[in-house]
Amino acid sequence: MWLTEVRGVVQGVGFRPSVKRAADLVHARGFVRNDGSHVTIATDKDPTGLMEAVKAQLGPIARLDKVIVREATWGELGIPDAGPSGFLIEPSVQGENDSSLPMDTAICDRCLSEMMDSSDRRYRHPFTNCTDCGARFTVIEDLPFDRERTTMRHFPPCPLCSEEYSDLSKRRFHAQTLSCPKDGPRYRFLDRDLVEAAGEPFRMASEKLLLGGIVAVKGWGGMHLVCDPGRLRRFREWYRRPFKPFALMARDLSTVEDVAHVGDVERAALLSPARPIVLLRKRDPSPEWAAEVLEQASPGLDSVGLYLPYAGVHHLLFEALKDAGSDLPWLLMTSGNPPGDPMALELEGIVPLRADGYLVHNRPIAARCDDSVLVPCPLPEGTYISGKAPFGLRTFPIRRSRGLVPDPLPMPHDKRVVSLGAERNVALTVTRDGTSFTSQYIGNPSKPLVLDFARETASRMMDLFGIKGIDAVGADLHPRYVTSRWASELSETHGVPLIRVQHHHAHSASLLVDSGLEEMGAVVVDGVGFGDDGTPWGAEALSVDLDSCRRIGHLEPFGLPGGDAAVYHPERIAFWLTKASGHEMDIGSPEAEKVLTAMMGRVEMTTSLGRLLDALSALFLGVTWRSYDGEPAMRLERLLASTKMPDRELFTAEVRSGTVPVLSRWKTLVEEVEALLGGTLRPGVQMAPGRAADLCMGLVEAVIDDLVVLAGDGAPVAPGHRGSIPVGLSGGVAYDLPVVRAFHGACIRHGLTPVLHSRVPPGDGGISVGQAAVAGRRL
């Protein structure tokens, strides 16, 4: 007989039922069982044919990563030599947690059809699911994945559900989280004073929404704040978020197609089982009914976050609105939390906001998990290198969370490392046996409740992935990050080395892991990262592998008047650049100008492309206050994307000693603007948008071109190498699509191969992956 261990996403996805059906087809005897986090199959048949039959039976979210086969005897399993008389699904056993976990996936079409069928016993049951869909990651408490080790243990199945569970011919055969209205979790609606309202909960919630109310809705992984997008002005005042972009959930795909540009890449992302928020370019002009809502959802931006219903609760909300006579095509749906805190899990976390109503259920949430956010890749397939993303998506992940975690990646070492990321948009990574597992989105751990969430997540991941001891802790080089202090604590507690990894090395290393390459040239562009020399870096040409990182070149350093204050007042950066290039700028405050002039030679210097984009945003768009992270550069993206003939040649300049010119190019820019407009330069120059776009994009392309050439010239090349040299793009600015296009164009012009992210976020959400890779290799 043969014993087969199968690792991958093989629990909670109908894998054992698939094995049972396949075994019956080939008349095999033996058993299948959950064993820790993997699955063990014992059979009297050659497993090759059995596994082929299993693959034909697999559901859409199952995945086989590793199959280990060995010959054995029934006796060593404590079974008589004749073996079992048939093929059984045996009870799970507590083995090693050495495999992945299933993701949360959108309700499938068959379950949705049942939920909307008035003759079905699951009619309007929001927790309808089967082995192919539903919450998984957010309900798992322990492994193996059985009902008693999930948050569904609080809801014993009724006789009819138990019958389905035991019937091989049924879709829900061995579906651990099945339920129905008689035995499953339930929703209720509470008013703003937390008094339970009489009546059907979804009807009550829809009525509140149609009256202009704000409703907190508990979903799979936490609370969302929901309102009619037509009331966004009121929502922004209530939530104290005047400009931050908010996502909209559309009733259906046709609504999305009416208001945004949707091609094959975008459609595939929207309809994938992950159902992420997808940043889509707004139609211009937008339909009259949608124009104001789109602008209110993402003020000043050319894109808007849109996604489709993924849980029963969303479909039932839209259905209740329809029953109330409303044809509302979308809802504002954003993470529910007091500003700075993590997404709320229960009422006590959301009540301080004083919403107008609360639609909540009674199933505990095992893991807080926000919505994932993706940006479609704008480049032709086959013109760049990237990793193979889940569901075949061709996107850049901004926030990798619900539906996309955990997604194990091959790690080029076998060490057990915990890495903690940087300061913002943190996600954690743990590694073992040549595989890395990255957590859901955590947030900014400088906030106490977020740090608590991070600590809980690290502990949960180590338990679920069987990491009982660690070999090292990976962290950022910055000494004042909260994650750096936490890393020191972990290092001391476990008695293992603390390995600090320079910020931009970690970015580029995360791209090496993502793409599967061992070395490359890299262009890393972001807002700030603590450099080896103690100064803030942010536009770097690097030669990288996982063992080392060599700085080949960088932007010419320029000033940040007032340090962090300049990040929030980007006109200060524009003022410094203008003054340093021999020109004058009126920022509307003589007192401020006097102070800024006095500190010209005594400011902190940076090489950040993000800050240079902020300065351009201040000059051309008049953005003089940053109300959320990345706002000035994000607003500039609309202008950059509108360029027809970027004037790159105008900004030709000589690169000396690896330093990419900034001041001479800013001087050229200012002189060009002054020649067109005359008079004193002020933030928000009034000039033809087309010319402004061509000038801005020309400067950006010139800078990117120089960085690409430096990275290509300095890239590590193996002896005897023939072919195009790979050059990667990473960092927080690598989400900016005009920058991505400029990078891609520069690589093609210079005969280099572009390398882009696909599974690991280019920004700080992917930093921990690079830290873990470098830390393990240094060991």
Side-chain angles (χ1 to χ4, degrees), residues 38 271 297 352 368 519 690 759 775:
H38 64 259
L271 294 174
R368 179 186 281 107
E519 57 187 12
R759 297 173 73 173

Short mmCIF file of all heavy atoms in Angstrom, two decimals, residues 38 271 297 352 368 519 690 759 775:
data_model
loop_
_atom_site.label_atom_id
_atom_site.label_comp_id
_atom_site.label_asym_id
_atom_site.label_seq_id
_atom_site.Cartn_x
_atom_site.Cartn_y
_atom_site.Cartn_z
N HIS A 38 -1.96 19.30 6.88
CA HIS A 38 -1.95 18.65 5.57
C HIS A 38 -2.96 17.51 5.57
O HIS A 38 -3.72 17.32 6.52
CB HIS A 38 -0.54 18.18 5.19
CG HIS A 38 0.04 17.13 6.07
ND1 HIS A 38 0.96 17.39 7.06
CD2 HIS A 38 -0.17 15.79 6.13
CE1 HIS A 38 1.29 16.28 7.67
NE2 HIS A 38 0.63 15.28 7.13
N LEU A 271 -14.14 39.86 -10.76
CA LEU A 271 -14.94 38.64 -10.66
C LEU A 271 -14.20 37.48 -10.02
O LEU A 271 -14.77 36.40 -9.86
CB LEU A 271 -15.42 38.22 -12.05
CG LEU A 271 -16.39 39.18 -12.75
CD1 LEU A 271 -16.68 38.73 -14.16
CD2 LEU A 271 -17.69 39.31 -11.95
N ALA A 297 -16.28 60.26 -3.98
CA ALA A 297 -15.65 59.04 -3.47
C ALA A 297 -14.14 59.15 -3.48
O ALA A 297 -13.47 58.65 -2.57
CB ALA A 297 -16.10 57.83 -4.29
N PRO A 352 -18.20 53.84 19.53
CA PRO A 352 -17.74 55.22 19.76
C PRO A 352 -17.97 56.16 18.57
O PRO A 352 -18.01 57.38 18.76
CB PRO A 352 -16.23 55.04 20.01
CG PRO A 352 -16.11 53.66 20.59
CD PRO A 352 -17.14 52.86 19.87
N ARG A 368 -9.29 39.25 12.27
CA ARG A 368 -9.65 40.52 11.62
C ARG A 368 -9.04 40.52 10.22
O ARG A 368 -7.87 40.19 10.03
CB ARG A 368 -9.10 41.67 12.45
CG ARG A 368 -9.36 43.04 11.91
CD ARG A 368 -8.65 44.08 12.75
NE ARG A 368 -9.35 44.41 13.98
CZ ARG A 368 -8.97 44.04 15.19
NH1 ARG A 368 -7.87 43.31 15.35
NH2 ARG A 368 -9.66 44.40 16.25
N GLU A 519 18.85 37.60 -8.58
CA GLU A 519 19.55 38.88 -8.55
C GLU A 519 19.02 39.76 -9.67
O GLU A 519 18.44 39.27 -10.65
CB GLU A 519 21.06 38.67 -8.71
CG GLU A 519 21.44 37.92 -9.97
CD GLU A 519 22.92 37.57 -10.03
OE1 GLU A 519 23.61 37.69 -9.01
OE2 GLU A 519 23.38 37.17 -11.12
N GLY A 690 -2.71 70.63 -20.70
CA GLY A 690 -1.91 69.77 -21.59
C GLY A 690 -0.43 70.05 -21.48
O GLY A 690 0.39 69.13 -21.40
N ARG A 759 2.43 39.45 -6.65
CA ARG A 759 1.88 38.79 -5.46
C ARG A 759 2.22 39.54 -4.19
O ARG A 759 1.46 39.51 -3.21
CB ARG A 759 2.40 37.36 -5.36
CG ARG A 759 1.98 36.48 -6.50
CD ARG A 759 2.64 35.12 -6.48
NE ARG A 759 2.12 34.25 -5.43
CZ ARG A 759 2.45 32.97 -5.30
NH1 ARG A 759 3.31 32.43 -6.15
NH2 ARG A 759 1.95 32.24 -4.34
N ALA A 775 17.01 38.18 5.97
CA ALA A 775 17.40 37.71 7.30
C ALA A 775 17.74 36.22 7.28
O ALA A 775 18.76 35.79 7.86
CB ALA A 775 16.27 37.98 8.30
#
